[in-house]
Amino acid sequence: MSTAFDTYQSLLAAIAADGGPSREVHDPATGELIARVPIHDETDLAHAIERARSAQPGWAALSDEERSAALNRVADVVEAAAEPLAELLSREQGKPLNGPNARFEVGACAAWLRATAATPLPVEVVVDDGDAYAELHRRPIGLVAAITPWNWPMMIAVWQIAPSLRMGNAVVAKPSEYTPLSGLALTAVMNSVLPDGVLSTVVGDGALGAAMTTSPAFGKIMFTGSTATGKRIVQSSADNLTRLTLELGGNDAGIVLPDVDPAAIAQDLFWGAFINTGQTCAAMKRLYVHEDVYDEVVAALAEVAAAMPMGVGVDEQNVLGPLQNRMQFDVVDRLVEAAKSSGARVVLGGDPDRGAVGNFYPTTLIADIDPANPLVLEEQFGPALPIIRYHDVDEAIALANGVDVGLGASVWSADRAKARDIASRLQAGTVWINSHGGVHPMIPFGGVKQSGYGLEFGAEGLKSVSVPQVING
């Protein structure tokens, strides 16, 4: 399929600021200027809301089959523009083109669009006993605000946008102020086949996001980001009783049982922790390893980690990139220094070049660390993994559950039945066995405790962006 966005230059030209208020966006790996991005204000937000209100009834009036067909056409144009989208994503976010990174993320956007279009959500007959008959239907909410983060700026946007559109809503999206070009680029490509006004993107800082969360125009807010911001959204949206899906912070634990083959699981352990250079909500951020295999697991993981090239994202050989922003670099640096000061053992890394232009923090493994160390108890969101030795599995479960968040967790064992039993005792929205962090468009995903509430993906995800209507009789 031909597209107006078949080169990086044409894609960038379509979204870069051409006048009015703007600011510079720089490559976190090199410091190079990528483009100037427009800055939107509440007047721009009001215009986007008005366009969405005008477009939504006609979009909702289409049949479910017609909206699903439209999502498949959107997937087609995303695939046609995949390489320009991946290059822009790599330059702005920092993630490399290869590995489970930029090209992977754009491919996931198309795959999620198609899966969302294909997910069945039939009318449910809830009672049919001869005396009573009732059906449960799902209707559009109206307008959905999609507020997305900087770590997976295209894929998470599709996670929010695709089901909202499928169910007949119009969407106003706001990307993170750290990755605005990625959000604008994705919208530009999608809007090449969507009806005007059904999907809009506004760009701004937290004040613009706050204006969205207080607006009565939105019947639903979807937010992925920090727990602190999620709490503010709950408060600011309360007067409107706005429906919410909140996917918030995590501090995922992995528990390795003594029956594992350390060499066999090392690569999967690595990517469970270091995918997107550790900048993933459901990455493994704490690893508890039984004392019988502790040294072997640490050594095998270090061997894998040391072989993974880190560097500028558009260099084809790299699979790890910089941290997206200096704020996050400083968080990781502070936590690793706290671990080093406590006497924990640095197995790999831990020695960043703080004066370098790019936000590169080396792949870091910290062993023999106290379970109460800040690097263990706080979410680092970067390429530094604490590895904690344990003696008894009950101790490991208590430590894994001993934080106030619960997005994901994993259990690693040769005995799947034993692993499932342990999984049932972990306080997390998803527990993986012998892997960590993988998501599937048909498998519901969401957190417990202060990792938020609401489910995404599959039929549950479609239900979350609709309102139920019972037809009784």
Side-chain angles (χ1 to χ4, degrees), residues 32 51 54 65-66 80 97 108 177 191 200 212-213 216 226-227 237 294 333 359 363 390 396 445 450 458 467 470:
E32 295 176 14
R51 290 195 301 273
S54 297
E65 291 76 15
E66 289 171 317
L97 290 169
E177 56 266 42
N191 276 338
S200 299
M212 295 175 74
T213 65
S226 72
T227 297
S237 65
Y294 185 87
D333 195 21
N359 299 327
T363 305
Y390 76 87
F445 179 75
Q450 293 197 34
V467 288
V470 174

Side-chain angles (χ1 to χ4, degrees), residues 443-454:
I443 299 175
F445 179 75
V448 300
K449 299 197 281 190
Q450 293 197 34
S451 287
Y453 48 75

Side-chain angles (χ1 to χ4, degrees), residues 213-277:
T213 65
T214 58
S215 172
F218 295 107
K220 173 82 180 190
I221 297 168
M222 303 188 77
F223 171 75
T224 300
S226 72
T227 297
T229 302
K231 290 178 178 179
R232 290 196 293 272
I233 290 173
V234 172
Q235 294 168 346
S236 63
S237 65
D239 284 347
N240 299 317
L241 290 179
T242 311
R243 291 164 174 80
L244 302 174
T245 294
L246 302 174
E247 196 266 270
L248 307 178
N251 192 357
D252 288 14
I255 297 177
V256 177
L257 302 188
D259 61 3
V260 300
D261 177 347
I265 67 171
Q267 181 120 345
D268 289 334
L269 283 174
F270 175 83
W271 285 118
F274 292 97
I275 187 172
N276 196 24
T277 317

Side-chain angles (χ1 to χ4, degrees), residues 352-363:
D353 182 355
R354 298 177 182 87
V357 173
N359 299 327
F360 289 100
Y361 197 94
T363 305

Side-chain angles (χ1 to χ4, degrees), residues 51-299:
R51 290 195 301 273
R53 279 176 165 159
S54 297
Q56 191 271 330
W59 177 250
L62 297 176
S63 68
D64 185 53
E65 291 76 15
E66 289 171 317
R67 290 194 300 271
S68 292
L71 289 187
N72 281 316
R73 291 193 295 272
V74 172
D76 290 341
V77 295
V78 168
E79 287 176 335
E83 193 62 16
L85 284 168
E87 182 176 349
L88 177 59
L89 175 61
S90 180
R91 291 184 185 278
E92 181 182 49
Q93 200 280 337
K95 65 183 63 182
L97 290 169
N98 292 318
N101 292 298
R103 289 180 176 126
F104 167 85
E105 180 169 350
V106 175
C109 289
W112 236 270
L113 283 157
R114 296 195 194 285
T116 303
T119 301
L121 190 63
V123 172
E124 181 183 353
V125 177
V126 292
V127 174
D128 184 9
D129 62 6
D131 295 321
Y133 181 84
E135 294 177 344
L136 178 61
H137 295 253
R138 291 283 167 176
R139 308 298 188 199
I141 295 172
L143 270 59
V144 174
I147 303 175
T148 53
W150 48 259
N151 57 333
W152 295 91
M154 293 186 184
M155 186 173 70
I156 292 177
V158 166
W159 289 356
Q160 299 183 3
I161 293 167
S164 298
L165 294 179
R166 161 74 189 277
M167 297 309 294
N169 304 292
V171 179
V172 178
K174 181 200 168 297
S176 166
E177 56 266 42
Y178 290 108
T179 50
L181 292 169
S182 295
L184 288 168
L186 181 66
T187 300
V189 172
M190 296 176 74
N191 276 338
S192 67
V193 292
L194 286 172
D196 183 59
V198 166
L199 172 62
S200 299
T201 292
V202 292
V203 172
D205 59 13
L208 187 64
M212 295 175 74
T213 65
T214 58
S215 172
F218 295 107
K220 173 82 180 190
I221 297 168
M222 303 188 77
F223 171 75
T224 300
S226 72
T227 297
T229 302
K231 290 178 178 179
R232 290 196 293 272
I233 290 173
V234 172
Q235 294 168 346
S236 63
S237 65
D239 284 347
N240 299 317
L241 290 179
T242 311
R243 291 164 174 80
L244 302 174
T245 294
L246 302 174
E247 196 266 270
L248 307 178
N251 192 357
D252 288 14
I255 297 177
V256 177
L257 302 188
D259 61 3
V260 300
D261 177 347
I265 67 171
Q267 181 120 345
D268 289 334
L269 283 174
F270 175 83
W271 285 118
F274 292 97
I275 187 172
N276 196 24
T277 317
Q279 301 166 107
T280 297
C281 296
M284 184 170 60
K285 301 184 174 80
R286 304 172 284 152
L287 182 60
Y288 298 91
V289 181
H290 192 274
E291 60 188 4
D292 288 355
V293 290
Y294 185 87
D295 292 335
E296 292 84 354
V297 168
V298 170

